[in-house]
Amino acid sequence: MAWLLPRACCLKVFCQSSRGPFSSGIARAWSGGPLTAYMPEAAAFPGSRDHPGLYKVSVEQADEFWGALGRNRLMWINPFHSVQDCNLQQGWVSWFLGGQLNVAVNCLDRHVHIAPDKVALIWEKDEPGKEVRVTYRELLELTCRLGNTLKRQGVKKGDRVTIYMPPCPLAVASMLACARIGAVHTVVFAGFSSEALADRIRDAQSETVITVNQGLRGGKVIELKQTVDQAVHACPLVKRVLVSMRTEQKVPMSELDVPLEEEMMKEDVCCEPAAMESEDLLFLLYTSGSTGKPKGLVHSQAGYLLYAAITHKYVFDYHDGDVFGCVADIGWITGHSYVVYGPLCNGGTTVLFESTPVYPNPGRYWETVERLRINQFYGAPTAIRLLLRYGDEWVKRYDRSSLKTLGSVGEPINTEAWEWYFNVIGDARCPVVDTWWQTETGGICISPRPSSPGDEILPGMAMRPLFGISPALLDDKGNVLTQNGVSGALCISQAWPGMARTIYNDHKRFLETYLMPYPGFFFTGDGAYRTSQGYYQLTGRLDDVINVSGHRLGTAELEDIVNQHRAVAESAVIAFPHEIKGEGAYVFIVLKKGTDISQERLSNELKELVSQKIAKYASPEYVQVTKRLPKTRSGKIMRRVLKKIVENKADELGDLTTLDDHEAVEEIIKGHKRLLQEEQGQ
C-alpha cells in the first residue's frame, strides 16, 4: 500500500458542481423527539409525526418523499426535473429524470471537502491484526489515479470493466474509478472458476479486466491471476488485464497484462468526473437464474445510490463516527450496497473483510469487532450457524461492547441462530435486523428497523417494509390477499429507486421473470406469510416449496424446526417425488461439533419434532447426516445439487464451477445410496 500517499487533491470540478451544503452528521434512531432530527425532510411532509406517518408518505406520496430525499441527500451537477416515470405493467422504470450527477463525487469528493482525513475504509486483511486504514483523501487520490489509468488504457464512458478481486481498497477504488469516468463495472466474486468468470466477461462484453496476482483467504494463497489467464483465453474481446500485487509473488505476465500500481503512479491525482444521467448504467451484477444461465442485473446511477444510502442509514441506525462492519464480499450485492456505496455515500467508515469467520480460529469475527471497535455487524445466517457449532467460548473471550446493531442477510435466519446471535453475540442488548432483499432490489426492502421507538422485534422475521416499499401477497390465481394471517407470493406493488432496471441485453427475460408473472407487480420469486399483526415472514423461494398431500410447506419453515434440535448445526430440506403424498421432505443434516447421535435416533426425533411443531404430514421421509453441505464460496447452499441427488439424477448435476468443496458432493451421493439401501433392506 506504499502508493497511498497523502497529496493535495483536485476539488475544482466538485466545488463548481456543488448545489448546496452537505452535512455528514447523521442522527441516531428516532427516539420519540422531533422527527426532523431523525429525517430533516420530514418538515416537508405535513402530518408525518411518527414513523408510520413517514412510511405512509413514502408510499402514498412517493414523488414528494423521494424528491425531497433526492434533492437533499445527493449532490447534483444538474438537478432532476421529474422524480419518476415508472410503469410496472409496461416494464419501464426511470427515476430522477433530467438529473446529472457523479456517483464517485457523491461517495468521495464532498466528504474530502469536509473531512479529508476521516477514515473511509478499514481493510481487515486475511492476516489478523494487519488492518489498513484509508482516509477519504487517500481513497479519492487512489480512485483518480486509477480512473486516469483506465482512460489512458482506452476505457471510455459506457465500456464494461470486469473486476475480479478480493475485498481490498484497490477493489473499491476500481469500482469508484469506473463510476468516475462513466464506465460500467461488473464485479465477479473472486471465488468463481475460470469458466464462470469467462461466461460473465463474455456476456458483459468486457474489454478490460482488473485483478490481483494472488488472493489470500483463510491463510491460503489463491491464484487469481492464473484463473483470469484461463478465462481470458476464452474471451477474445479482452484487450487488457490490469494486475495489482496483493502479495510479493511475481506471476507470469503476457502482452495483455498491465502492472497496475506502476501505471497508476504515472497518473495525476485529479480525474475529472463524468456528468452521468440518472438512468445511465452504474454496474452489472450477475446472479444465478433458474435456467442456469447467469443474469446480468442492471443498476443505474442516482436511484440505486440514494436507496443504498437511505437503507444503510435507517436500517442500521448508522450515525457519524460509527464503524460499520459488513463482512460480505464485494462480489455480491451486499458488498456493493453495504460495504461500498451506502456507507461511502453517507460519509461513513466501512470495513472490508478479506478473511473467513474461522481463520485463524472461530473467534475471528469477534476479535475483529473488539480491535476495530465495530458498531454495526452485518453477516450471514450460514456463518452464524457455523460459529454456533463452536459454542459460546470463542465469543465471550472478546469485548463486544462497541456493538449497537446486529444484522442478518442472505436467507431467512432460523430461530435458534437468531437467539444465539441476540443473546450471546449481542448480550441481549443489540437489536437484530433480519433483512430481506435481493440483487434485484438493490437494497433492503423488509426489516424490523426502522420503526417507532420500542417496537417489538420477533426472532427470525423481517417484519416491516422499508420506506417506499409496498409489499403485496398474491395467490396462485393472481388475486391480492388483503387479510392478515395468510401466505402468498411476495410481490411489490410499486416501483422504488433502488430496483434493477433490466437484465443486460435481455429485457425480455427481465419482463418474463419479474413483471409478467403478476402483471402490475414486481414478483420477487419468494413466498411470505403475513402474520395477524401484519408482519412479514419469508417462507423461502417459491420453487423451494414442498406440496405434501395438498399442503404447501416452505423449506425454510421446515429447516427452522429441524435446526431447533439440540444436535443439529445446519440443515437443508429438499422436496422429492412421493408416490402417495405427491412430494415428501428429504432432510440433510450437519451435526454440531462433538455430538454423538445415531442417524436412526436423530431421524426419529426430528420426525417427532416436526410433527409437534407443524403437523404429522410435514414429517420428513428421509434424514441423511453428512459432514458438510455443498455450498458456493459465498456460503449459499447449492440446493439444485441436492435436489438432483435425491431424485437419483447424480449424473445430471450440471455446472459445479461455483462449488466450494467438490468432496462434499461425492460424500452426499454415497450417503444417499447407503440410506436408500438401508431403507430397502428393512
Side-chain angles (χ1 to χ4, degrees), residues 126 164 166 189-192 211-227 246-247 251 354 356 633 660:
D126 190 56
Y164 186 73
F189 173 58
F192 276 138
T211 190
V212 297
N213 61 334
Q214 295 177 317
L216 291 176
R217 190 172 186 272
K220 297 176 182 175
V221 175
I222 304 159
E223 301 293 346
L224 296 183
K225 170 61 163 57
Q226 198 175 91
T227 303
R246 169 61 180 92
T247 68
V251 292
E354 187 182 35
T356 77
R633 280 283 303 278
D660 187 36

Side-chain angles (χ1 to χ4, degrees), residues 61-83:
Q61 303 172 51
D63 279 24
E64 290 80 357
F65 181 84
W66 290 114
L69 267 63
R71 282 185 287 271
N72 198 45
R73 307 293 174 106
L74 298 181
M75 176 166 287
W76 297 89
I77 295 169
N78 287 309
F80 54 89
H81 57 68
S82 302
V83 175

Side-chain angles (χ1 to χ4, degrees), residues 29-301:
W30 181 53
S31 57
L35 201 60
T36 51
Y38 169 68
M39 183 181 284
E41 295 86 353
F45 313 139
S48 57
R49 299 185 179 89
D50 52 17
H51 180 269
L54 272 181
Y55 172 74
K56 188 177 181 183
V57 168
S58 76
V59 293
E60 294 183 1
Q61 303 172 51
D63 279 24
E64 290 80 357
F65 181 84
W66 290 114
L69 267 63
R71 282 185 287 271
N72 198 45
R73 307 293 174 106
L74 298 181
M75 176 166 287
W76 297 89
I77 295 169
N78 287 309
F80 54 89
H81 57 68
S82 302
V83 175
Q84 64 169 306
D85 180 17
C86 304
N87 187 319
L88 296 182
Q89 191 89 29
Q90 299 296 322
W92 72 75
V93 177
S94 296
W95 285 85
F96 307 116
L97 288 81
Q100 289 183 319
L101 80 172
N102 186 276
V103 165
V105 167
N106 275 275
C107 289
L108 298 175
D109 302 61
R110 61 174 174 170
H111 307 310
V112 171
H113 191 62
I114 296 166
D117 297 321
K118 182 178 181 180
V119 174
L121 306 176
I122 304 177
W123 181 23
E124 176 61 17
K125 300 171 74 173
D126 190 56
E127 309 92 325
K130 301 287 186 181
E131 77 272 9
V132 173
R133 286 173 165 80
V134 183
T135 67
Y136 272 92
R137 183 202 305 271
E138 291 169 333
L139 185 55
L140 175 58
E141 292 172 357
L142 190 60
T143 298
C144 286
R145 285 188 191 274
L146 217 163
N148 286 329
T149 302
L150 289 172
K151 286 199 288 187
R152 185 161 51 82
Q153 290 291 326
V155 178
K156 304 179 296 300
K157 186 175 179 179
D159 287 354
R160 277 76 59 210
V161 175
T162 298
I163 301 170
Y164 186 73
M165 304 173 81
C168 61
L170 201 54
V172 175
S174 297
M175 296 165 73
L176 292 168
C178 289
R180 193 170 195 86
I181 68 172
V184 180
H185 66 70
T186 174
V187 183
V188 178
F189 173 58
F192 276 138
S193 69
S194 60
E195 288 180 33
L197 174 60
D199 284 344
R200 288 154 175 78
I201 292 172
R202 285 193 298 264
D203 190 80
Q205 300 161 306
S206 285
E207 295 182 351
T208 306
V209 178
I210 308 177
T211 190
V212 297
N213 61 334
Q214 295 177 317
L216 291 176
R217 190 172 186 272
K220 297 176 182 175
V221 175
I222 304 159
E223 301 293 346
L224 296 183
K225 170 61 163 57
Q226 198 175 91
T227 303
V228 170
D229 288 344
Q230 292 167 358
V232 167
H233 277 305
C235 302
L237 271 181
V238 173
K239 294 180 178 177
R240 60 197 73 85
V241 178
L242 281 57
V243 185
S244 172
M245 298 294 287
R246 169 61 180 92
T247 68
E248 300 297 320
Q249 183 65 44
K250 290 185 178 179
V251 292
M253 299 284 279
S254 74
E255 59 184 21
L256 286 180
D257 299 331
V258 178
L260 186 52
E261 285 88 352
E262 287 180 31
E263 294 304 308
M264 286 172 61
M265 288 308 296
K266 300 174 184 176
E267 299 298 338
D268 195 74
V269 295
C270 296
C271 176
E272 183 174 349
M276 305 299 292
E277 302 293 331
S278 293
E279 284 299 321
D280 283 343
L281 273 63
L282 175 61
F283 65 85
L284 311 180
L285 192 56
Y286 285 87
T287 184
S288 297
S290 56
T291 64
K293 183 181 184 291
K295 299 176 292 193
L297 272 302
V298 171
H299 282 284
S300 54
Q301 308 268 332

